[in-house]
Amino acid sequence: MRAALTWRDKAEQCIYDLAFKPDGTQLIIAAGNRLLVYDTSDGTLIQPLKGHKDTVYCVAYAKDGKRFASGSADKSVIIWTSKLEGILKYTHNDSIQCVSYNPLTHQLASCSSSDFGLWSPEQKSVSKHKTSSKITCCSWTNDGQYLALGMFNGIVSIRNKNGEEKVKIERTGGASSPIWSICWNPSRDERNDILAVADWGQKLSFYQLSGKQIGKDRMLNFDPCCVSYFTKGEYILLGGSDKQVSLFTKDGVRLGTIGEQSSWVWTCKVKPDSNYVAVGCQDGTISFYQLIFSTVHGLYKDRYAYRDSMTDVIVQHLITEQKVRIKGRELVKKIAIYKNRLAIQMPEKILIYELYSDDSSDMYYRVKEKIVKKFECNLLVVCSDHIILCQEKRLQCLSFSGIKEREWLMESLIRYIKVIGGPPGREGLLVGLKNGQILKIFVDNVFAIVLLKQSTAVRCLDMSASRNKLAVVDENDTCLVYDIHTKELLFQEPNANSVAWNTQCEDMLCFSGGGYLNIKASNFPVHQQKLQGFVVGYNGSKIFCLHVFSMSAVEVPQSAPMYQYLERKMFKEAYQIACLGVTDTDWKELAMEALEGLEFETAKKAFTRVRDLRYLELISSIEERKKHGENNNELFLADVYAYQGKFHEAAKLYKKSGHENLALNMYSDLRMFDYAKDFLGSGDPKDTKMLIKKQADWAKNINEPKAAVEMYLSAGEHMKAIEISGDHGWVDMLIEIARKLDKAEREPLSKCAFYFKKLDNPGYAAETFMKVGDLKALVHLYVETHRWEEAFALSEKHPEFKDDVYVPYAQWLAENDRFEEAQKAFHKAGRQSEAVRVLEQLTHNAVVESRFNDAAYYYWMLSMQCLDIAQENEQQKTEMLQKFHHFQHLAEVYHVYHSIQRYTELVPLCYRCSTNNPLLNNLGNVCINCRQPFVFSASSYEVLHLVEFYLEDGITDEEAVALIDLEVPRLNKRENKWQEMMSDHAQSLRLDDNTDIIEDDDPFTAKLSFEQGGSEFVPVIVNRAVLQSMSRRDVLIKRWPKPLRWQYYRSLLPDASITMCPSCFQMFHTEDYELLVLQHNCCPFCRRRIDESNQ
């Protein structure tokens, strides 16, 4: 740090106080009984202000810059506007010692020898508060909540905005150590408000708002008259009896002197937000200084160490952006860094630090050695075991214990020094002198090696990674590059202020100057881009740049130098540059260029970087071919061109290398058939067919199916042509193909038939099957299309297909509710069990769906089916008869339930014993008295007036019918008018309405008697005489087929006509039956159609 005097002026009286306008443009000075207003830019006196009658002791500017205040020995305070006009004046009882504006509310505090006042523009009067001692100084906190007052008796009183005392700080010196200046730290970053206190006990102290002291008192060795902070609170200014202004850290560490004066310094302040300082002295001198803070720093590869707040050192890792702060309590003068070493020079010592570990990312340092000795040097360098001090022409090598081991004396001033590496204890140094000489020095060797000498002074030096080349920036801003071994000047570039070689690439360097960054690879032209600052390092793709006080790592793509190498086909060098950092696009370009240049190793690495598996497979295949002895580079290049899409170039190379077939395949695969035809060669039919096939495939893929079919047919690919035609429903095309095909080509013909069936053209399908001779497929076709007549005709000619026809036919009939026909078809096919299974399933469905009438019908059908099986199959006879009775019973039950479900109420009456039976009968459908089974109407399910009777043993069914038919006349005097009516569909007994019936005693009636109260059923058994006495009109017979016996029923109410269905033998009231027949044209139980003959 150094101070440069900007301007100076002298007043006739002592300068007790000064204040800057907040924008920094004006400086107000209290000189005698006047205020002097200066322009800070050049020290011009703008205007003297008169208003006070006695010496002005203090002046303060409001934070908003609208007004300022002055206080004088004449006991008055004057408020001035920024236009330098006095607008208000008020007085105290004693001389005014200090004034201060609240930073937020702009309330003015004015302090005198005996009291202090608080005034704000909205108040009419000043509120004053007495004090026990003379007030010498005052200061507001940042938030404007508290005012600190410094007293002559050594006490600091902290008041709130209303003037009430909140904290009282009593110092040890008491009245012998008057407080002469106080100031709150203006920093917004501090956690607590910190008050700096300077007293005439020659101490500087710091306190918190609570009154607690921070640290210990700092001895000053002079009487301080003024203390003030920089705008951000990082530094403190102190002036007083030592006739100079001293710069301190915010913690009170002295850093240096700002301008020595010839008399006491009564006031000093910093221009807002700047490094300019104004100083006022006892003799009236006004000085304006600029503080210049030099950069103290060191760099080694990616670690940068620099000074912060004058006493701290921050080490920054330029790649990871990690930072570590090393706190110090003394001024840092020099910094040097090398590998794991860090050296910090302070006024009275040098500290050497080392890293905790060898980890490259480790950022924790610890003190290794202390050299407690004062050194004066221009430059400082640290090595593994030594420090190097540079003093103008002299270099000294010291061990870490402070012992001088070696010394070198140069011919001229040393301008630049740098460690260039080496084994520990034997590092090499690169030294540049003002006379242009460049030397290499090893720390363990007293002799310096002259590398070369140039005519201009050295400003900056760097050596390439392999130490073969040297880059020098001279005082004429020229960058010169030499070959170290031959001393030859390789090239030079203008407008350079610093230079650095790339530590990872021998032939690359960068230099900065004129606002540009210049990158140079080998002897190619320079690539420029804008950059402010100095280049201090170049590592891979990162360039380390120092701009003003900050170091930054700039990521620079290495594209430009890479392309320069590519232009010269220097692929390996280009790859090395790319490894430093280029974009993905650059990597792809490098890979392609290397591939076209047949530099497969470089191309492979580059494609691996961009993860392009397709090209890696190509390179791998080429390498395999080379291993097997293939070395035709033109063929390799043709493959490369084909992969890149340069098809015509690839085809030319294929042809040139004698591989026209590869060009043909390429163009065919690309569907570029016109180009492919040029490479058909001698017209090999195989090649031609292959080309047509590929063309057809392509036509299919681009939705040109008709063209594809024609091409497939011409190429002999009938199956593909058939598939396309079938999928698009082109029947005409399929017919044409099928008729052209030979009958021996079964597979394509079968495919045609398949599509004919699918497209609902069974006629053409049948024609195709006949052509192939596939009769089984033809039968299946007829069955699937329900063309039963053709199927029956075919099965007649070929009985082996009988099952294939009749079984599906029967199933179809059953599915279409044509059960009688289905039954016949099952019989015809010999599938009786299948018929039973289908009917059982239909019955189950009807029950589940509550179609009880249908269920009754299906059970009747099943019973008759079982009866047929019993007639034909002696082995199953017993089982089938059981099923017959079971299914007959279920048919009747469901037929009954159909009516019950419709809420028909039945009150059973036994016509044998004339007993009324309850509706719910635990015995079942029999009389509770005589146990005679009821005979129900199959429509209304009323009990019919019928009694079943049985034949006496020895009487056959035929004899019984003959005896009944004899009908012996009865012994009654009245003629019986019953008429028996027979038809092909019913047997009825009808009474002539005009005749009164008076029957005599009937032998059958006598048979109805039984023993009352018996629990066993006593059937009615008749002999021949009773049969002979019966009238044919009164008897109904169920003529069951064998092996079943016939059932006989006698009507007990001949006046009520009963009809029996000749098919299912169910009984009905004649009127109900005729009505149902009219409605449905069939029996309501078995659904036998009336127009069918009795079978």
Side-chain angles (χ1 to χ4, degrees):
M1 183 274 298
R2 63 187 179 88
L5 181 65
T6 304
W7 54 267
R8 178 173 280 170
D9 197 10
K10 186 155 186 184
E12 296 175 359
Q13 294 87 10
C14 172
I15 310 298
Y16 281 111
D17 202 3
L18 58 82
F20 281 98
K21 189 176 182 180
D23 63 7
T25 56
Q26 292 179 3
L27 177 64
I28 313 297
I29 290 175
N33 60 0
R34 295 185 304 166
L35 295 176
L36 305 178
V37 183
Y38 284 90
D39 185 331
T40 55
S41 61
D42 55 8
T44 305
L45 179 61
I46 297 173
Q47 184 180 339
L49 299 179
K50 296 178 181 178
H52 289 288
K53 298 174 181 177
D54 204 342
T55 304
V56 180
Y57 286 140
C58 51
V59 63
Y61 227 114
K63 198 81 171 178
D64 61 2
K66 293 180 179 178
R67 57 179 66 88
F68 61 93
S70 57
S72 167
D74 64 4
K75 305 176 185 178
S76 66
V77 176
I78 298 178
I79 311 296
W80 309 81
T81 67
S82 58
K83 295 180 180 179
L84 310 181
E85 299 169 347
I87 57 170
L88 185 80
K89 186 175 185 178
Y90 68 85
T91 61
H92 281 260
N93 295 327
D94 293 294
S95 61
I96 310 300
Q97 299 297 313
C98 55
V99 290
S100 179
Y101 270 103
N102 187 306
L104 295 184
T105 64
H106 310 305
Q107 186 180 25
L108 177 65
S110 53
C111 307
S112 72
S113 299
S114 58
D115 63 1
F116 70 94
L118 296 173
W119 173 85
S120 56
E122 60 272 11
Q123 289 179 222
K124 292 183 179 179
S125 60
V126 179
S127 59
K128 295 178 181 177
H129 306 269
K130 290 285 184 182
T131 58
S132 58
S133 176
K134 177 181 178 180
I135 301 173
T136 56
C137 49
C138 63
S139 178
W140 287 96
T141 55
N142 291 332
D143 58 7
Q145 296 298 313
Y146 297 97
L147 174 68
L149 305 175
M151 309 285 197
F152 196 80
N153 62 0
I155 290 174
V156 177
S157 176
I158 298 177
R159 311 279 180 133
N160 63 15
K161 289 191 293 185
N162 299 322
E164 300 163 352
E165 186 173 74
K166 292 298 180 183
V167 178
K168 185 176 182 181
I169 302 172
E170 297 186 11
R171 291 166 56 76
T172 54
S176 63
S177 300
I179 306 297
W180 209 259
S181 186
I182 59 175
C183 188
W184 290 101
N185 189 332
S187 172
R188 301 282 179 185
D189 300 330
E190 295 290 343
R191 291 173 58 189
N192 300 308
D193 289 303
I194 298 172
L195 179 68
V197 179
D199 65 27
W200 274 15
Q202 300 190 347
K203 296 188 296 290
L204 174 64
S205 307
F206 298 94
Y207 292 90
Q208 291 181 3
L209 182 61
S210 62
K212 181 181 178 181
Q213 185 170 357
I214 302 170
K216 297 180 180 179
D217 295 333
R218 278 74 165 172
M219 295 307 298
L220 299 174
N221 298 320
F222 66 91
D223 292 330
C225 296
C226 54
V227 61
S228 64
Y229 277 93
F230 274 54
T231 308
K232 294 180 181 176
E234 65 269 47
Y235 301 116
I236 296 173
L237 294 176
L238 265 175
S241 63
D242 62 346
K243 302 180 182 180
Q244 63 183 15
V245 176
S246 298
L247 182 69
F248 288 77
T249 67
K250 63 183 180 181
D251 299 321
V253 178
R254 191 177 189 281
L255 299 175
T257 301
I258 302 172
E260 295 185 357
Q261 309 298 322
S262 55
S263 62
W264 281 33
V265 175
W266 280 102
T267 181
C268 58
K269 297 276 178 67
V270 179
K271 179 182 173 183
D273 299 311
S274 74
N275 289 336
Y276 287 92
V277 175
V279 181
C281 300
Q282 174 77 32
D283 61 3
T285 303
I286 306 155
S287 304
F288 198 69
Y289 294 94
Q290 180 185 10
L291 299 189
I292 300 167
F293 294 94
S294 57
T295 304
V296 176
H297 60 153
L299 174 76
Y300 179 74
K301 291 191 176 176
D302 50 15
R303 287 177 188 263
Y304 176 60
Y306 61 95
R307 182 175 68 182
D308 186 60
S309 301
M310 303 299 282
T311 59
D312 295 349
V313 173
I314 293 177
V315 182
Q316 176 184 356
H317 196 294
L318 296 172
I319 305 299
T320 65
E321 295 296 327
Q322 283 181 285
K323 289 183 179 180
V324 61
R325 179 184 291 271
I326 299 173
K327 281 186 167 289
R329 299 194 58 78
E330 295 182 60
L331 174 66
V332 173
K333 297 179 71 176
K334 295 283 187 296
I335 298 173
I337 188 168
Y338 174 72
K339 291 187 178 177
N340 64 338
R341 298 283 190 264
L342 173 67
I344 302 173
Q345 183 188 7
M346 295 177 177
E348 303 292 334
K349 61 188 172 187
I350 295 177
L351 296 177
I352 292 105
Y353 291 82
E354 68 175 357
L355 285 171
Y356 271 82
S357 69
D358 295 329
D359 185 1
S360 61
S361 61
D362 184 22
M363 293 295 288
Y364 295 98
Y365 287 87
R366 63 185 171 193
V367 176
K368 177 177 174 62
E369 298 286 349
K370 283 185 186 179
I371 305 176
V372 183
K373 194 183 290 185
K374 185 174 182 178
F375 295 100
E376 290 296 333
C377 63
N378 308 112
L379 300 169
L380 175 69
V381 173
V382 67
C383 299
S384 298
D385 301 321
H386 301 87
I387 59 167
I388 312 297
L389 302 177
C390 172
Q391 300 158 344
E392 297 185 343
K393 296 181 182 181
R394 188 184 307 273
L395 277 180
Q396 288 184 342
C397 176
L398 279 68
S399 68
F400 286 164
S401 58
I403 300 170
K404 183 171 75 172
E405 294 186 355
R406 223 158 268 106
E407 185 174 280
W408 299 270
L409 190 63
M410 306 298 161
E411 296 178 4
S412 176
L413 291 173
I414 298 168
R415 295 288 296 273
Y416 193 88
I417 184 170
K418 182 176 186 178
V419 186
I420 55 173
R426 299 176 59 194
E427 290 89 356
L429 306 175
L430 200 59
V431 181
L433 306 183
K434 188 175 181 181
N435 65 0
Q437 201 173 47
I438 299 161
L439 305 99
K440 185 155 75 170
I441 296 174
F442 293 97
V443 296
D444 63 338
N445 194 326
V446 294
F447 298 104
I449 302 168
V450 178
L451 294 178
L452 57 90
K453 184 174 181 183
Q454 59 180 32
S455 57
T456 51
V458 175
R459 278 182 60 184
C460 183
L461 282 173
D462 199 17
M463 190 178 281
S464 66
S466 64
R467 303 188 181 181
N468 292 322
K469 296 177 184 177
L470 182 68
V472 184
V473 174
D474 67 9
E475 60 186 358
N476 298 325
D477 295 340
T478 303
C479 177
L480 304 103
V481 177
Y482 296 92
D483 184 306
I484 290 178
H485 304 298
T486 64
K487 310 290 191 291
E488 177 190 356
L489 177 64
L490 299 177
F491 60 84
Q492 63 182 38
E493 296 287 343
N495 302 318
N497 55 27
S498 64
V499 66
W501 286 97
N502 196 317
T503 56
Q504 296 182 23
C505 183
E506 170 69 15
D507 285 339
M508 286 192 71
L509 63 78
C510 66
F511 59 92
S512 56
Y516 284 92
L517 170 68
N518 304 272
I519 300 173
K520 187 171 177 69
S522 188
N523 55 354
F524 299 133
V526 168
H527 171 71
Q528 281 190 337
Q529 68 181 64
K530 287 191 174 182
L531 180 78
Q532 294 294 324
F534 295 86
V535 166
V536 292
Y538 190 8
N539 184 7
S541 64
K542 290 188 183 292
I543 292 176
F544 305 127
C545 172
L546 177 66
H547 182 52
V548 191
F549 300 116
S550 66
M551 178 71 76
S552 59
V554 181
E555 189 80 38
V556 181
Q558 306 298 304
S559 309
M562 186 198 80
Y563 285 112
Q564 289 173 330
Y565 280 112
L566 282 181
E567 286 174 9
R568 300 197 184 185
K569 307 295 181 186
M570 299 167 72
F571 300 115
K572 291 183 179 178
E573 292 82 354
Y575 176 76
Q576 289 178 349
I577 299 298
C579 287
L580 301 180
V582 294
T583 64
D584 281 351
T585 306
D586 297 331
W587 274 112
K588 288 177 185 174
E589 192 64 32
L590 169 62
M592 289 297 184
E593 291 280 348
L595 192 58
E596 288 183 20
L598 303 180
E599 180 60 54
F600 296 119
E601 193 60 36
T602 302
K604 190 174 181 180
K605 292 177 185 176
F607 280 124
T608 302
R609 282 280 190 144
V610 294
R611 294 182 173 86
D612 195 325
L613 296 178
R614 199 164 63 95
Y615 279 104
L616 286 172
E617 286 174 2
L618 171 64
I619 294 169
S620 180
S621 69
I622 291 174
E623 287 177 339
E624 282 295 316
R625 285 156 59 188
K626 289 180 84 172
K627 284 180 187 176
H628 291 91
E630 192 175 330
N631 55 7
N632 189 337
N633 285 339
E634 287 184 343
L635 188 56
F636 296 151
L637 189 57
D639 288 343
V640 171
Y641 283 153
Y643 263 72
Q644 291 177 336
K646 300 175 181 176
F647 304 118
H648 299 311
E649 291 91 331
K652 288 176 186 175
L653 285 174
Y654 282 135
K655 188 172 184 179
K656 189 176 178 182
S657 60
H659 292 81
E660 287 94 341
N661 61 316
L662 295 177
L664 174 64
N665 291 338
M666 178 185 73
Y667 279 129
S668 300
D669 291 342
L670 293 167
R671 315 291 185 250
M672 299 167 74
F673 300 107
D674 294 337
Y675 292 113
K677 289 172 185 173
D678 297 338
F679 292 90
L680 278 174
S682 59
D684 186 350
K686 277 187 179 179
D687 289 342
T688 306
K689 188 174 179 182
M690 180 273 291
L691 184 63
I692 294 172
K693 182 175 175 297
K694 286 190 174 181
Q695 196 167 358
D697 289 340
W698 173 69
K700 177 184 174 185
N701 292 334
I702 63 166
N703 289 328
E704 289 288 345
K706 282 195 181 293
V709 169
E710 292 170 4
M711 291 177 194
Y712 279 131
L713 290 174
S714 61
E717 292 284 335
H718 295 113
M719 286 296 287
K720 290 190 176 181
I722 291 166
E723 286 173 2
I724 295 173
S725 301
D727 291 342
H728 287 83
W730 297 335
V731 178
D732 293 343
M733 182 69 76
L734 287 170
I735 294 169
E736 187 180 337
I737 294 170
R739 288 176 178 170
K740 284 182 180 178
L741 286 170
D742 188 84
K743 64 181 180 180
E745 297 187 74
R746 294 179 66 86
E747 188 180 359
L749 282 169
S750 298
K751 198 73 174 176
C752 285
F754 165 76
Y755 279 113
F756 284 137
K757 283 166 62 179
K758 184 178 177 182
L759 298 171
D760 200 21
N761 281 272
Y764 293 122
E767 179 187 328
T768 308
F769 284 133
M770 290 287 286
K771 184 173 182 178
V772 178
D774 191 345
L775 294 179
K776 188 166 186 177
L778 186 59
V779 167
H780 288 156
L781 173 69
Y782 287 148
V783 168
E784 287 173 16
T785 55
H786 303 153
R787 295 168 65 180
W788 304 112
E789 296 300 325
E790 290 96 328
F792 296 150
L794 193 60
S795 67
E796 289 295 326
K797 292 180 184 177
H798 303 278
E800 65 269 21
F801 299 126
K802 185 178 178 183
D803 278 2
D804 293 330
V805 173
Y806 281 101
V807 172
Y809 177 57
Q811 289 172 340
W812 175 74
L813 289 171
E815 289 166 6
N816 287 278
D817 293 342
R818 295 164 62 180
F819 297 108
E820 290 185 20
E821 294 174 65
Q823 178 187 355
K824 293 173 186 175
F826 277 126
H827 273 299
K828 212 164 191 178
R831 296 291 186 91
Q832 292 169 340
S833 60
E834 187 74 17
V836 172
R837 189 185 65 78
V838 171
L839 283 172
E840 283 178 341
Q841 185 62 46
L842 289 170
T843 305
H844 173 72
N845 292 346
V847 172
V848 169
E849 294 168 10
S850 300
R851 294 184 287 109
F852 302 113
N853 203 25
D854 291 344
Y857 169 60
Y858 293 144
Y859 273 124
W860 179 81
M861 291 284 289
L862 276 170
S863 70
M864 300 310 293
Q865 187 73 52
C866 291
L867 190 57
D868 288 344
I869 295 171
Q871 286 177 330
E872 296 172 5
N873 192 330
E874 192 65 32
Q875 291 179 345
Q876 291 182 287
K877 178 178 177 181
T878 305
E879 180 190 352
M880 289 296 110
L881 285 177
Q882 289 176 349
K883 285 192 174 185
F884 164 77
H885 290 297
H886 176 64
F887 290 146
Q888 278 279 321
H889 176 66
L890 288 176
E892 292 174 3
V893 167
Y894 279 109
H895 202 65
V896 171
Y897 195 70
H898 174 67
S899 298
I900 291 173
Q901 191 191 27
R902 293 182 298 165
Y903 311 108
T904 303
E905 291 190 10
L906 305 173
V907 181
L909 170 68
C910 178
Y911 285 93
R912 180 177 177 179
C913 64
S914 301
T915 302
N916 281 318
N917 284 257
L919 193 60
L920 295 175
N921 186 347
N922 292 332
L923 297 176
N925 292 324
V926 296
C927 175
I928 59 172
N929 184 30
C930 65
R931 306 296 196 272
Q932 177 70 36
F934 296 136
V935 180
F936 294 100
S937 167
S939 58
S940 64
Y941 282 89
E942 296 173 353
V943 177
L944 295 175
H945 46 276
L946 295 175
V947 175
E948 184 179 3
F949 62 90
Y950 299 87
L951 302 180
E952 198 175 59
D953 290 343
I955 304 174
T956 64
D957 291 329
E958 292 77 9
E959 184 185 356
V961 172
L963 289 170
I964 295 169
D965 287 341
L966 286 176
E967 195 174 352
V968 175
R970 301 201 183 156
L971 299 174
N972 56 8
K973 295 180 179 179
R974 291 177 178 81
E975 190 176 353
N976 197 334
K977 296 297 181 179
W978 279 98
Q979 295 181 358
E980 180 183 21
M981 300 179 68
M982 295 292 293
S983 69
D984 59 349
H985 65 274
Q987 177 186 7
S988 305
L989 292 175
R990 189 177 296 275
L991 176 68
D992 192 335
D993 293 338
N994 298 322
T995 307
D996 292 331
I997 304 301
I998 303 174
E999 291 188 276
D1000 295 332
D1001 291 338
D1002 187 349
F1004 181 79
T1005 308
K1007 292 284 184 180
L1008 298 180
S1009 63
F1010 61 96
E1011 187 178 344
Q1012 293 290 337
S1015 60
E1016 296 295 328
F1017 167 60
V1018 180
V1020 179
I1021 300 174
V1022 297
N1023 55 24
R1024 289 179 176 83
V1026 176
L1027 288 171
Q1028 196 171 359
S1029 68
M1030 290 184 187
S1031 171
R1032 182 72 185 85
R1033 294 181 292 270
D1034 298 341
V1035 178
L1036 292 170
I1037 305 172
K1038 291 186 178 180
R1039 301 170 187 261
W1040 294 109
K1042 290 184 179 181
L1044 295 177
R1045 294 292 302 271
W1046 291 3
Q1047 288 178 278
Y1048 299 85
Y1049 297 88
R1050 169 73 186 269
S1051 172
L1052 299 182
L1053 295 176
D1055 58 341
S1057 177
I1058 295 174
T1059 301
M1060 181 179 70
C1061 173
S1063 175
C1064 61
F1065 304 125
Q1066 291 293 326
M1067 315 285 194
F1068 304 87
H1069 288 295
T1070 300
E1071 292 177 356
D1072 294 344
Y1073 182 76
E1074 290 175 350
L1075 177 62
L1076 290 168
V1077 165
L1078 285 173
Q1079 288 176 345
H1080 303 291
N1081 197 31
C1082 65
C1083 170
F1085 187 84
C1086 68
R1087 302 184 186 180
R1088 174 181 174 276
R1089 301 190 69 78
I1090 299 306
D1091 54 6
E1092 292 182 6
S1093 61
N1094 189 15
Q1095 297 181 9

